[in-house]
Amino acid sequence: MLMELSIRDFAIIDQISVNFKDGLTVLTGETGAGKSIIIDAIQLLAGGRGSVEFVRHGSKKAEIEGLFSVEGYHPVYDKGEEFGVDIEEDGMIVLQRTITSQGKSICRVNGKLVTLAILREFGKTLIDIHSQHETQSLMDVEQHIELLDLYADKEIKQAKEEYQKLYDKYQSLRKRYRELNDNEQEMAQRLDLLEFQWNELQAAELKPDEDTVLTEERNRLVNYEKIYSGLHDAYQALYGEQKGLDWVSHALTALEGAKDYDEQINKMSEEMSNHYYLMEEMTFQLSSQLEQLEFDPERLDDIESRLNEINRLKKKYGQSVEEILEYSSKIEEEIEEIKNKDSHLAKLEDDIKEIGQDAVLEAKQIQDIRVKASKNLSHAIQQELKGLYLEKASFAVDIQTKEGQQDDPEFDGRNVKLMPSGFDLVKFLITTNPGEPLKEIHKVASGGELSRVMLALKKIFSKHQGVTSVIFDEVDTGVSGRVAQAIAEKIYGISEASQVLCISHLPQVASMADTHLQIEKHVSGDRTSTSLQELTLHDKIDEISRMITGAELTDTTREHAKELLELAFKYKSKEHIKSR
């Protein structure tokens, strides 16, 4: 859930910091008070498109910061791992967005600088914003297949993973087939380039780890004097005029004369003896190293020349000798493929056919799961629509098979077109008037009907999408009376699965709130600012009264407001008992 939101120098907002609670939070206020500006800020926090116009006049930058918390497993952890953002076990995530007066956007997740695209990836796992004019994925036809799969996630997940492996391999084979099947001139030019590169690498006669070995040898030659001095001084200290090893021998002899009389001295004598023989062996090694040590300036020149050649090849073929050798092996295979193109094309055709057939079988299994899930989803949504006084409405999930075309570069003789999600085309269809044909959901004309359809869908998917906060911005526009009450109850129902923030002008929705926040606009001097405060029960009554009349408060409107609050309390108590 969104626990805390901090906004500074954003539009007409000077500074606001608000703590949000679980359940349903309703934000109300006069038109122009800044309710939608709050939603705009949250949308930017979720990776929405920014503009310098959002920066408060006279300020250098606008700053937005949100603290979110998640419980148990949540997709945001996968995003953290994917983009290298640390998320602690307490499930706290901080999103930050700064827009400067020069139009630059700075994004952070848990303090780490990220791109706007990455911020958007995190945002969409945490926040789902729905407005009067934008219903995002639920109204996007291209997203319907994802929503259906989300509804059937447990049944379809493994089948999709298996299909994805086959599809990726299928596409890779087709890409290689097209590359090999390009025109002769391009292939000849490609072959010339590869043969030149391969000949150059063969002439270099590189060996694994050669650069590492040569670099170490060069370092020894360059630092010959330091190495010789170190070995010589160490040897002289132990076996030369300083006779360090002789003094250790004297110490060992002294201890051996007393070891029979004290157990502790006996142990010390044994340890001293071990150290003496180790030091003696080390002296022999130092002597051997000194005898072998030799400075060869010609060898140093040869090494420098060879390393320069290797570095030149690294700039062209890889960052290390190993990568260069891998590249050499790769182009050798490609040269062989081009020279024997016909046989390789025949082999690729067979592989494409075999993998394609396997992918089609897996896609058919996915389609069967989708068809079954679509019936359950259609029934569930129709039940939700009944509760929103759309008893006559009909909803259906249309699943069609994408057909292959002869002029399609992906066509390989079968009558289906394989896509990343299978070969299905999924659309949500609805009619709200008896006798009328089913139409695509985004073509539903009435604003009030569209709001109700969207809420029915949202009620179903709120349990599956995993977002921590659902935000509604005046989605209840164009409805009134009993429909308004039904919408209020539906929004409250969504808040039982995830936190809901709702901007509304309906008293029925406001009365259903667990937390009621009022937004007000103030003018001080020549500047306008916005403030936000949580209402007490008394203030709730007054605010709902204003929403009912839109004019002066009266005892009658206050009584009406009290009645709405009492009815909402009874409904929520009843729903709580039912959920138990």
Side-chain angles (χ1 to χ4, degrees), residues 52-83:
V52 69
E53 301 298 325
F54 285 122
V55 181
R56 183 174 168 84
H57 178 68
S59 300
K60 294 182 178 180
K61 58 185 178 181
E63 298 175 289
I64 311 162
E65 185 174 30
L67 172 64
F68 296 82
S69 70
V70 297
E71 295 181 358
Y73 168 75
H74 191 276
V76 75
Y77 286 104
D78 295 334
K79 296 296 180 184
E81 185 174 348
E82 180 180 355
F83 298 112

Side-chain angles (χ1 to χ4, degrees), residues 148-361:
L148 178 60
D149 290 354
L150 186 64
Y151 182 77
D153 183 63
K154 291 182 180 179
E155 296 81 7
I156 206 171
K157 185 177 181 179
Q158 185 175 352
K160 286 183 69 175
E161 289 176 354
E162 293 298 324
Y163 172 79
Q164 191 63 52
K165 294 176 185 176
L166 291 169
Y167 178 77
D168 290 344
K169 189 172 182 180
Y170 174 75
Q171 290 295 91
S172 176
L173 290 171
R174 291 189 63 82
K175 179 182 177 182
R176 184 62 192 141
Y177 183 89
R178 289 193 296 271
E179 290 173 349
L180 270 180
N181 207 29
D182 282 345
N183 64 62
E184 293 295 328
Q185 184 178 359
E186 289 182 359
M187 281 289 99
Q189 292 173 349
R190 175 69 175 166
L191 181 59
D192 285 345
L193 173 62
L194 294 176
E195 286 183 330
F196 170 81
Q197 292 178 343
W198 189 77
N199 289 331
E200 183 178 34
L201 293 174
Q202 288 299 109
E205 297 182 342
L206 294 173
K207 300 175 182 177
D209 295 323
E210 183 179 359
D211 52 344
T212 303
V213 173
L214 289 176
T215 299
E216 292 175 355
E217 186 178 355
R218 181 186 63 181
N219 289 338
R220 287 195 297 270
L221 290 171
V222 169
N223 296 285
Y224 171 81
E225 292 184 1
K226 292 181 180 179
I227 295 172
Y228 178 84
S229 177
L231 290 171
H232 179 269
D233 291 349
Y235 179 79
Q236 290 298 319
L238 290 172
Y239 210 72
E241 294 180 359
Q242 300 178 44
K243 297 185 181 297
L245 196 60
D246 285 350
W247 286 109
V248 175
S249 178
H250 292 321
L252 178 58
T253 301
L255 287 176
E256 287 180 342
K259 67 179 182 180
D260 294 335
Y261 310 107
D262 189 300
E263 182 61 29
Q264 186 64 29
I265 294 176
N266 184 44
K267 291 180 180 179
M268 293 169 64
S269 175
E270 290 178 358
E271 291 182 12
M272 181 71 75
S273 176
N274 291 334
H275 292 319
Y276 174 79
Y277 291 117
L278 285 173
M279 292 174 68
E280 187 177 45
E281 176 63 27
M282 184 63 68
T283 303
F284 296 149
Q285 291 181 18
L286 290 171
S287 177
S288 177
Q289 284 283 83
L290 280 168
E291 291 175 359
Q292 295 176 17
L293 199 60
E294 181 182 0
F295 179 68
D296 186 350
E298 292 184 1
R299 174 58 180 164
L300 181 59
D301 290 340
D302 291 341
I303 291 173
E304 293 288 3
S305 176
R306 181 61 172 171
L307 285 175
N308 287 336
E309 173 66 9
I310 292 174
N311 288 331
R312 184 185 70 81
L313 295 174
K314 283 182 179 180
K315 292 178 181 179
K316 297 173 66 175
Y317 303 117
Q319 296 180 353
S320 66
V321 171
E322 282 65 33
E323 287 187 13
I324 296 173
L325 292 173
E326 287 177 10
Y327 181 74
S328 177
S329 177
K330 180 180 177 182
I331 62 175
E332 185 178 10
E333 291 177 4
E334 190 173 350
I335 289 170
E336 195 274 332
E337 279 188 352
I338 294 174
K339 287 184 174 180
N340 300 279
K341 184 175 72 171
D342 292 341
S343 62
H344 280 285
L345 284 174
K347 176 68 167 57
L348 281 170
E349 286 178 356
D350 292 339
D351 291 343
I352 290 170
K353 183 177 180 181
E354 181 181 350
I355 297 297
Q357 290 173 345
D358 291 342
V360 167
L361 291 175

Side-chain angles (χ1 to χ4, degrees), residues 19-68:
N19 294 317
F20 290 104
K21 300 175 183 177
D22 202 358
L24 173 59
T25 297
V26 175
L27 295 86
T28 64
E30 298 293 336
T31 300
K35 300 185 298 298
S36 292
I37 294 176
I38 301 287
I39 304 302
D40 288 340
I42 297 175
Q43 199 155 22
L44 285 175
L45 198 62
R49 183 173 297 177
S51 168
V52 69
E53 301 298 325
F54 285 122
V55 181
R56 183 174 168 84
H57 178 68
S59 300
K60 294 182 178 180
K61 58 185 178 181
E63 298 175 289
I64 311 162
E65 185 174 30
L67 172 64
F68 296 82

Side-chain angles (χ1 to χ4, degrees), residues 327-576:
Y327 181 74
S328 177
S329 177
K330 180 180 177 182
I331 62 175
E332 185 178 10
E333 291 177 4
E334 190 173 350
I335 289 170
E336 195 274 332
E337 279 188 352
I338 294 174
K339 287 184 174 180
N340 300 279
K341 184 175 72 171
D342 292 341
S343 62
H344 280 285
L345 284 174
K347 176 68 167 57
L348 281 170
E349 286 178 356
D350 292 339
D351 291 343
I352 290 170
K353 183 177 180 181
E354 181 181 350
I355 297 297
Q357 290 173 345
D358 291 342
V360 167
L361 291 175
E362 199 66 47
K364 181 62 174 67
Q365 183 180 350
I366 292 173
Q367 186 181 69
D368 292 341
I369 297 172
R370 284 176 178 151
V371 169
K372 182 178 179 180
S374 68
K375 295 177 182 178
N376 295 332
L377 177 60
S378 298
H379 176 75
I381 289 177
Q382 289 212 190
Q383 291 300 112
E384 294 294 336
L385 292 176
K386 287 180 181 179
L388 289 165
Y389 297 102
L390 284 172
E391 302 93 338
K392 306 296 184 180
S394 294
F395 181 92
V397 179
D398 180 58
I399 301 177
Q400 299 291 333
T401 299
K402 178 71 172 179
E403 296 183 355
Q405 301 293 330
Q406 291 288 350
D407 57 352
D408 191 328
E410 300 297 321
F411 184 76
D412 63 0
R414 291 189 298 272
N415 62 345
V416 297
K417 167 73 177 294
L418 293 176
M419 299 176 291
S421 57
F423 50 56
D424 297 330
L425 297 175
V426 177
K427 293 181 181 179
F428 291 168
L429 307 178
I430 192 170
T431 178
T432 56
N433 300 307
E436 292 294 318
L438 290 163
K439 296 179 181 179
E440 294 178 26
I441 197 167
H442 67 282
K443 295 180 180 179
V444 175
S446 166
E449 289 176 344
L450 189 60
S451 295
R452 282 179 280 173
V453 170
M454 188 275 293
L455 278 173
L457 289 166
K458 192 64 215 165
K459 179 65 164 54
I460 297 295
F461 288 116
S462 63
K463 297 177 181 178
H464 298 269
Q465 286 180 304
V467 293
T468 65
S469 302
V470 180
I471 299 173
F472 295 112
D473 184 9
E474 299 186 11
V475 295
D476 47 26
T477 300
V479 298
S480 59
R482 64 176 189 170
V483 175
Q485 181 60 37
I487 284 181
E489 292 172 0
K490 199 64 64 179
I491 291 175
Y492 175 77
I494 295 171
S495 74
E496 292 182 306
S498 58
Q499 179 193 46
V500 173
L501 309 180
C502 179
I503 290 178
S504 178
H505 290 289
L506 289 179
Q508 292 92 335
V509 175
S511 64
M512 200 69 71
D514 298 311
T515 305
H516 191 152
L517 301 177
Q518 185 180 31
I519 301 174
E520 293 182 317
K521 183 167 64 176
H522 308 280
V523 178
S524 178
D526 60 348
R527 296 305 302 270
T528 302
S529 61
T530 294
S531 65
L532 189 150
Q533 65 173 349
E534 183 176 345
L535 299 183
T536 64
L537 178 59
H538 180 270
D539 293 331
K540 274 187 184 181
I541 294 171
D542 286 350
E543 177 65 9
I544 293 173
S545 297
R546 290 190 188 94
M547 295 173 74
I548 293 172
T549 63
E552 294 183 4
L553 302 182
T554 65
D555 290 340
T556 302
T557 57
R558 283 194 175 92
E559 287 301 318
H560 192 181
K562 289 180 182 178
E563 185 178 2
L564 278 176
L565 287 167
E566 289 173 1
L567 290 172
F569 178 78
K570 290 180 181 178
Y571 176 83
K572 290 194 286 186
S573 299
K574 178 182 176 183
E575 289 298 302
H576 177 68

